[in-house]
Amino acid sequence: MNFKHLHYFWVTAKAGGVMRAGEQLHTTPQTLSGQIKLLEDWLGRKLFQKSGRHLELTEDGRLALGYADQIFTLGAELETAVRQAHGGQRVLDFKVGVADSVTKSVAYRLLEPALSVAEPVRLICSEGKFSDLLAQLALNRLDLVIADEPMSRRISVKAFNHPLGRTAMSFFCAPGLKSQLQGSFPGCLNDAPLLIQGAQASVRQQLEGWLTRHQIHPRIIGEFDDGALMTAFGREGRGVFMGPSVMEAETVAQFGVEVIGRSDELVEEFFAVSVERRITHPCVVAITTAARGQLFG
């Protein structure tokens, strides 16, 4: 494969067309089109198709782009590693996946100690479904996965769960909405607008059981896989929302909401999943030590 042709394809796909790509690469659109055509001929597949005046990736093009992303990311890492080896202090790359059901503020508090280890660290953080992140961990593309549930034994990934801690849950809402609620907690949730976590969140099933046990019937206004988006709706008074009690003070201060109640029956747990049975990675050591001793201790 001619990697110059692949690079031209990659830049064109990222730029959204040959005109912008040509400006970035300081070459003409005609040259770019010709180089990409040679790559398509070599692969025996069309990578782009015309859509009006624009180019769109074909299915084969999207597949090729995924591999090109990995190739040129590794190339950049190679260059950085070699340059550091011959002229500077080594920087430790720490690649972490965060399950999208984990509250962003908690994820920050968990990961922040990794930047305080003795050697310089470059944190490379990605977000996604827990199962997808475990697949990346199995391929050694991640050093650690942060999740709100342990890895199931049924998943054929050689990795280990490291409990970080657990927290009760608090209920928050905007001051204007709080003034409209009737009665004390948790009865005040009856017929109140409620924003809840998506079905993938570990605390979601607990919440449904808790509402049933207490015979509470709120109006479910929205379900969110993204906790940050749920909080944004809650901040604007669209509904009551739930969050970790360990982050209660920060949630109140950051979003201008108020606490209307807490429940020890609703518990959210957090885990670090790594390929190490005995933790030795300095960043993972810092994360687990801080979580167990300070955040959840």
Side-chain angles (χ1 to χ4, degrees):
M1 178 182 291
N2 186 318
F3 282 91
K4 184 176 183 180
H5 298 165
L6 182 65
H7 186 252
Y8 281 171
F9 158 74
W10 182 61
V11 174
T12 301
K14 292 289 188 181
V18 292
M19 294 295 292
R20 290 182 181 177
E23 293 172 1
Q24 294 178 20
L25 295 168
H26 304 291
T27 189
T28 65
Q30 292 79 9
T31 299
L32 270 180
S33 297
Q35 299 293 300
I36 294 171
K37 179 66 165 56
L38 291 173
L39 178 63
E40 291 178 326
D41 291 344
W42 187 86
L43 291 171
R45 294 288 188 273
K46 295 291 291 183
L47 302 178
F48 288 107
Q49 61 187 7
K50 286 189 176 181
S51 177
R53 299 175 63 184
H54 303 284
L55 287 178
E56 289 184 351
L57 287 168
T58 63
E59 184 176 345
D60 291 313
R62 287 191 290 272
L63 178 64
L65 179 60
Y67 281 101
D69 279 334
Q70 297 179 47
I71 288 169
F72 293 116
T73 297
L74 285 172
E77 291 178 6
L78 169 63
E79 181 181 3
T80 299
V82 171
R83 289 183 184 278
Q84 289 170 352
H86 288 275
Q89 187 176 11
R90 178 176 176 269
V91 175
L92 176 63
D93 281 348
F94 181 43
K95 294 168 286 189
V96 184
V98 179
D100 52 17
S101 53
V102 174
T103 305
K104 301 299 182 291
S105 55
V106 173
Y108 167 75
R109 289 286 299 277
L110 288 172
L111 293 175
E112 193 274 336
L115 300 178
S116 302
V117 300
E119 55 190 309
V121 172
R122 183 175 68 160
L123 179 64
I124 304 169
C125 193
S126 57
E127 186 181 18
K129 299 295 183 186
F130 187 30
S131 58
D132 295 340
L133 297 175
L134 289 176
Q136 295 295 309
L137 183 70
L139 295 172
N140 293 316
R141 293 175 181 167
L142 294 174
D143 298 308
L144 187 72
V145 173
I146 299 291
D148 58 351
E149 61 180 305
M151 182 187 68
S152 170
R153 293 181 179 179
R154 292 175 295 178
I155 297 178
S156 57
V157 174
K158 188 177 180 181
F160 303 92
N161 296 311
H162 304 286
L164 297 176
R166 53 192 289 155
T167 175
M169 302 299 287
S170 298
F171 289 79
F172 306 87
C173 71
L177 177 58
K178 183 180 180 181
S179 65
Q180 300 173 26
L181 300 180
Q182 303 295 319
S184 57
F185 182 84
C188 63
L189 295 177
N190 263 316
D191 202 39
L194 186 65
L195 309 170
I196 63 176
Q197 285 84 351
Q200 299 300 318
S202 62
V203 77
R204 167 65 180 275
Q205 190 172 354
Q206 296 181 50
L207 175 63
E208 292 174 349
W210 183 80
L211 292 171
T212 300
R213 287 195 305 275
H214 290 274
Q215 297 183 333
I216 298 170
H217 305 285
R219 292 180 288 114
I220 307 298
I221 299 299
E223 303 181 22
F224 301 85
D225 287 333
D226 187 339
L229 183 58
M230 180 182 70
T231 303
F233 273 77
R235 178 183 60 194
E236 298 300 324
R238 295 298 182 180
V240 176
F241 65 97
M242 185 172 62
S245 296
V246 72
M247 301 300 296
E248 193 174 275
E250 293 183 26
T251 302
V252 169
Q254 183 177 358
F255 300 107
V257 294
E258 298 183 15
V259 179
I260 63 171
R262 306 170 186 85
S263 175
D264 293 331
E265 298 174 59
L266 299 169
V267 176
E268 191 166 26
E269 297 182 272
F270 297 94
F271 296 85
V273 184
S274 78
V275 295
E276 296 181 311
R277 181 190 295 273
R278 180 178 176 273
I279 297 173
T280 59
H281 194 295
C283 292
V284 183
V285 171
I287 286 172
T288 53
T289 301
R292 295 166 181 170
Q294 300 169 24
L295 183 58
F296 299 112

